[in-house]
Amino acid sequence: MPSLDDVFSGSGLLAKAINGFSPRQAQTDMAKAVASAITHADSLIVEAGTGTGKTFAYLAPVLLSKGKAIVSTGTKNLQEQLFHRDLPVIKKALASNRKTALLKGRANYLCLHRLAQHGGNSTLVESDVLSELSIVRDWANTTKTGDMGEVKTLPEDARVIPLVTSTVDNCLGRDCPDYEDCYLVKARKKAMDADIVVVNHHLFFADMALRDTGFGELIPEADCIIFDEAHQIPEIASEYFGEAISTRQLTEICKEITLLYRTVLKDADQLEKAGEKVRMLAADLRILFADKPQRGHWLEAMEREDVATQVSRLEDAVGVLYDICKLHIGRDKDLDNLFDRIVQSREKLALFTTQEHDGMSLWYETTPRHIVMHMTPLSIAAKFRRFVESDDRGWVFTSATLVVDNDFTHFQRRMGLEKAKTMLLDSPFDYAKQAMLCVPRYLPEPHMPTMRKQLVNIAKKLIKASGGRCFLLFTSHAALQEVASALEEQIDNPVLVQGSTSKQALLSAYLSDPAAVLLGTGAFWEGVDVRGNDLVCVMIDKLPFAAPDDPLLQARLEECRKKGGNPFGSIQIPQAVITLKQGAGRLIRDPADAGVLVICDNRLVTKPYAQTFLGSLPPMKRTRDLAEVEQFLRQIEHKEAVTEE
């Protein structure tokens, strides 16, 4: 078996397999630390700067080890990139025959039973969904995996997808008539048989939550678990360690009752009427809140008499539905499953009609048509610590953005990983030569009305100097829309705005036009890899502090105060630093890249905490003079023109 030095050296296996591969000491060091964590069943946290090559640094020791490994990434796109692009390259280089599998969440796989349910009942499906259903039926005749991602003609948010995929709630499991042919069961079986399984964080924590009830399948088998993009874990884990119920879930139950009434249980008219009552009351509850999607404190909402009354009516109606459904148990497998879901909904609704729960935040969020009630733990540290320490296996947490001012404490405290080993690896890029950081002079305060106009003026100068090829990143949709609207009127460059189409379509449009400018919020702050001359300027409107009116954040800040802590210093600043590092990380992705990062927030100069932010960013050349920035951008363009000649 080759050693890690054999893999990563200048004449090693990767150098022979990959054109242009150059050895990086940081990559080799990380690989050895990961191998040690696997061998000794330790916990390891690694911040690996952009360009370190962290993916190969953890895949090589995983492929060279003997046990089963789970690799979890932040998104489905990264998951597919890892499985289809990175893993095959390093497997071939190492001549490894270890079995690998890609496993997505159940909502990504066609459910044959639900497709059949909607097969002959087009009257229950809106007309605009019928054409999508037809596309799925045609594809279903040829697919071998049942992975909905294969249907490229369907948008990511196609309304047909929930109709032809299953959820934990509506899956019949072994009672399903299509169980033997189930694509999800086949994918899970392949994952159970594989040596290395690539999942995403949502799927991992869903499986972890199920483990508490005895149904988690994947995790107990693993000898090593690796989290890439680990900075996302605290928020994602919190979702799965809490409880939630939405009017959408109740509406789905009622729709399925109607479907059963019209097809199988035609004598159960009282059941259908009870379901319709729940559906109407759920819709009426949503109407009591503002049209515009919002978040708020649930207990404060319950202080309103109209909300409390409506929730009480909804609870009573779900109780009636429970009583009637109970009378029909045993008549149909789908109905038995619906009864279980009604029981769970009833129990969850009860959680939101009682008073405060210690260590939990009760909050709500609205979508255009529904309301979701959440009960989220304020800290997952104790629970996650117990989970990590309960089994003898290696744990690796890695990302380009885990430390705050060269300190891992924030991440360690949030995850309960105070005993974990840590490793900080700087990027190999020469930021002092490749990049420039600018905080422009004479900026208004971020909250002042004149700030938006100033952002437009700065953006115009940057776009003119670079000829396009800019990302303009915003901390709010309102700022994004206002600046986008102004730029569309004042510049000739194509202005691509997040929300106008899918993320992938926007990126494709951006990459196909060198004059394009892309404006985005959260989705474009991370997980976007634009290399070379396609991106030479990133402008950020202000420091990305979380919205102060976010109810979950407020609850965490209050909890910190109660314990005598400094919530601004220990929660708000570290989270904003990590987000800023993600946004800044879009700029330099390659040793040959060059570009400018412009942060339009004078707090980076005036506030005592400025050094924490600046100390966490790469060591770029700094300026406050926009003219110097424009000159740097023109130099980049000139170099490119000379190179092309």
Side-chain angles (χ1 to χ4, degrees):
M1 185 180 289
S3 71
L4 289 171
D5 286 319
D6 294 334
V7 175
F8 291 103
S9 70
S11 57
L13 298 177
L14 283 177
K16 290 172 184 172
I18 302 169
N19 288 334
F21 176 85
S22 56
R24 284 157 282 187
Q25 190 59 46
Q27 187 178 41
T28 308
D29 291 346
M30 177 175 169
K32 289 178 177 178
V34 171
S36 176
I38 294 171
T39 303
H40 300 106
D42 289 334
S43 295
L44 171 70
I45 306 171
V46 185
E47 173 166 307
T50 309
T52 305
K54 62 182 167 66
T55 306
F56 284 179
Y58 63 70
L59 285 180
V62 161
L63 284 165
L64 293 173
S65 66
K66 289 190 170 70
K68 186 183 182 83
I70 295 174
V71 179
S72 182
T73 67
T75 63
K76 281 189 290 186
N77 285 341
L78 289 172
Q79 193 184 350
E80 292 193 339
Q81 178 181 306
L82 182 71
F83 186 78
H84 293 297
R85 191 183 77 182
D86 300 328
L87 250 178
V89 169
I90 195 162
K91 267 188 77 177
K92 186 177 179 183
L94 272 58
S96 171
N97 59 4
R98 302 201 80 205
K99 288 193 287 184
T100 60
L102 176 71
L103 183 63
K104 298 180 181 178
R106 64 168 61 245
N108 294 280
Y109 296 98
L110 175 69
C111 173
L112 294 168
H113 180 57
R114 285 179 62 74
L115 179 65
Q117 274 188 313
H118 291 283
N121 294 286
S122 56
T123 54
L124 300 180
V125 180
E126 294 90 336
S127 57
D128 59 329
V129 183
L130 279 176
S131 60
E132 293 179 347
L133 194 55
S134 178
I135 291 169
V136 172
R137 282 202 200 99
D138 290 343
W139 163 76
N141 292 325
T142 59
T143 183
K144 289 182 171 62
T145 66
D147 185 341
M148 297 294 295
E150 294 175 357
V151 196
K152 302 299 183 188
T153 50
L154 281 182
E156 289 176 15
D157 58 351
R159 291 173 64 197
V160 74
I161 292 174
L163 300 182
V164 296
T165 58
S166 70
T167 64
V168 173
D169 293 332
N170 63 29
C171 176
L172 296 179
R174 292 185 181 277
D175 292 329
C176 180
D178 295 294
Y179 183 79
E180 295 300 322
D181 298 314
C182 177
Y183 292 114
L184 177 63
V185 170
K186 288 177 182 176
R188 281 188 173 164
K189 186 176 186 308
K190 190 175 179 185
M192 295 302 289
D193 293 341
D195 300 306
I196 299 160
V197 188
V198 181
V199 300
N200 60 62
H201 300 339
H202 285 277
L203 178 57
F204 180 90
F205 284 101
D207 195 77
M208 182 174 164
L210 283 172
R211 190 187 181 199
D212 280 354
T213 59
F215 293 104
E217 296 174 302
L218 275 179
I219 300 167
E221 300 293 321
D223 300 290
C224 167
I225 294 172
I226 294 178
F227 290 101
D228 201 345
E229 301 298 318
H231 64 280
Q232 298 178 3
I233 295 175
E235 293 303 325
I236 293 172
S238 294
E239 288 179 39
Y240 291 95
F241 290 174
E243 295 283 1
I245 183 168
S246 70
T247 54
R248 180 190 294 276
Q249 288 170 297
L250 294 172
T251 301
E252 290 298 322
I253 288 172
C254 300
K255 281 183 179 177
E256 289 177 43
I257 285 172
T258 299
L259 181 63
L260 281 178
Y261 168 63
R262 295 189 186 179
T263 54
V264 182
L265 304 173
K266 295 185 178 179
D267 60 339
D269 56 330
Q270 290 301 313
L271 180 65
E272 203 265 342
K273 285 176 183 173
E276 185 61 16
K277 177 83 171 174
V278 168
R279 192 188 64 76
M280 288 174 63
L281 287 170
D284 289 345
L285 176 61
R286 170 63 185 91
I287 290 168
L288 296 178
F289 295 83
D291 288 346
K292 191 177 176 184
Q294 62 176 197
R295 288 182 167 199
H297 294 278
W298 179 247
L299 294 178
E300 285 181 10
M302 283 290 282
E303 289 172 6
R304 287 172 47 188
E305 189 177 342
D306 56 348
V307 172
T309 301
Q310 190 65 22
V311 170
S312 177
R313 286 176 182 158
L314 181 58
E315 206 175 7
D316 290 345
V318 172
V320 171
L321 183 61
Y322 165 88
D323 290 335
I324 295 173
C325 193
K326 195 173 182 181
L327 298 173
H328 295 276
I329 283 179
R331 294 186 60 189
D332 180 85
K333 294 289 186 188
D334 286 301
L335 186 72
D336 292 352
N337 172 267
L338 281 167
F339 178 72
D340 291 340
R341 290 159 64 191
I342 292 166
V343 170
Q344 289 172 14
S345 298
R346 199 179 176 202
E347 290 171 352
K348 286 183 182 180
L349 264 178
L351 293 173
F352 292 91
T353 55
T354 54
Q355 284 306 303
E356 290 209 35
H357 301 259
D358 287 343
M360 306 294 265
S361 172
L362 271 64
W363 56 285
Y364 71 87
E365 61 182 329
T366 56
T367 66
R369 298 174 68 177
H370 294 283
I371 180 167
V372 190
M373 292 159 269
H374 297 271
M375 187 169 77
T376 307
L378 298 176
S379 171
I380 62 163
K383 185 165 186 174
F384 195 76
R385 185 187 302 115
R386 285 196 301 273
F387 187 74
V388 168
E389 293 174 356
S390 65
D391 290 299
D392 196 27
R393 62 165 66 102
W395 294 81
V396 177
F397 305 83
T398 185
S399 169
T401 56
L402 288 174
V403 305
V404 177
D405 209 3
N406 295 320
D407 190 344
F408 284 95
T409 304
H410 175 67
F411 182 76
Q412 287 177 289
R413 279 183 186 156
R414 291 197 76 185
M415 298 300 297
L417 295 170
E418 292 87 351
K419 295 178 183 176
K421 296 177 180 177
T422 62
M423 185 177 218
L424 177 57
L425 300 168
D426 290 331
S427 169
F429 299 153
D430 188 349
Y431 281 98
K433 287 184 179 177
Q434 290 177 251
M436 180 180 283
L437 168 65
C438 176
V439 181
R441 289 194 185 97
Y442 314 122
L443 289 170
E445 290 299 312
H447 63 275
M448 292 179 69
T450 52
M451 187 64 205
R452 301 273 169 89
K453 187 176 180 182
Q454 189 80 322
L455 286 173
V456 173
N457 291 335
I458 293 170
K460 282 163 61 180
K461 289 179 180 178
L462 297 172
I463 293 163
K464 184 178 179 182
S466 63
R469 303 175 300 167
C470 298
F471 272 17
L472 311 182
L473 301 179
F474 296 86
T475 52
S476 75
H477 284 281
L480 165 73
Q481 295 299 335
E482 194 172 323
V483 173
S485 179
L487 285 178
E488 282 168 346
E489 293 177 4
Q490 297 178 39
I491 65 173
D492 295 326
N493 304 64
V495 177
L496 305 171
V497 185
Q498 182 181 331
S500 58
T501 183
S502 73
K503 182 178 177 180
Q504 288 307 118
L506 272 180
L507 270 177
S508 297
Y510 174 85
L511 292 170
S512 65
D513 190 335
V517 180
L518 193 150
L519 284 73
T521 56
F524 284 92
W525 282 69
E526 61 179 288
V528 179
D529 190 9
V530 179
R531 293 170 185 259
N533 304 333
D534 290 318
L535 180 61
V536 296
C537 178
V538 172
M539 184 187 96
I540 291 174
D541 69 333
K542 63 178 178 179
L543 296 178
F545 286 106
D549 58 351
D550 180 85
L552 183 54
L553 176 65
Q554 287 181 347
R556 285 180 176 147
L557 299 181
E558 185 56 36
E559 180 85 351
C560 182
R561 278 189 210 99
K562 284 179 184 174
K563 292 179 177 177
N566 171 10
F568 186 66
S570 62
I571 296 176
Q572 289 172 284
I573 286 178
Q575 288 184 12
V577 166
I578 287 169
T579 305
L580 182 67
K581 285 172 70 175
Q582 281 291 333
R586 298 315 97 216
L587 184 64
I588 304 297
R589 309 293 299 175
D590 198 84
D593 284 4
V596 173
L597 174 65
V598 180
I599 305 175
C600 302
D601 194 328
N602 60 11
R603 289 177 293 183
L604 272 174
V605 179
T606 62
K607 296 294 184 183
Y609 54 75
Q611 194 48 50
T612 302
F613 283 91
L614 293 171
S616 299
L617 290 172
M620 306 176 184
K621 181 183 178 184
R622 295 179 189 174
T623 182
R624 300 209 63 200
D625 188 351
L626 267 178
E628 199 175 338
V629 169
E630 293 172 82
Q631 177 64 24
F632 189 79
L633 287 169
R634 282 192 285 268
Q635 285 174 358
I636 295 172
E637 194 164 20
H638 176 69
K639 281 180 188 172
E640 289 165 13
V642 170
T643 305
E644 285 173 11
E645 287 173 10

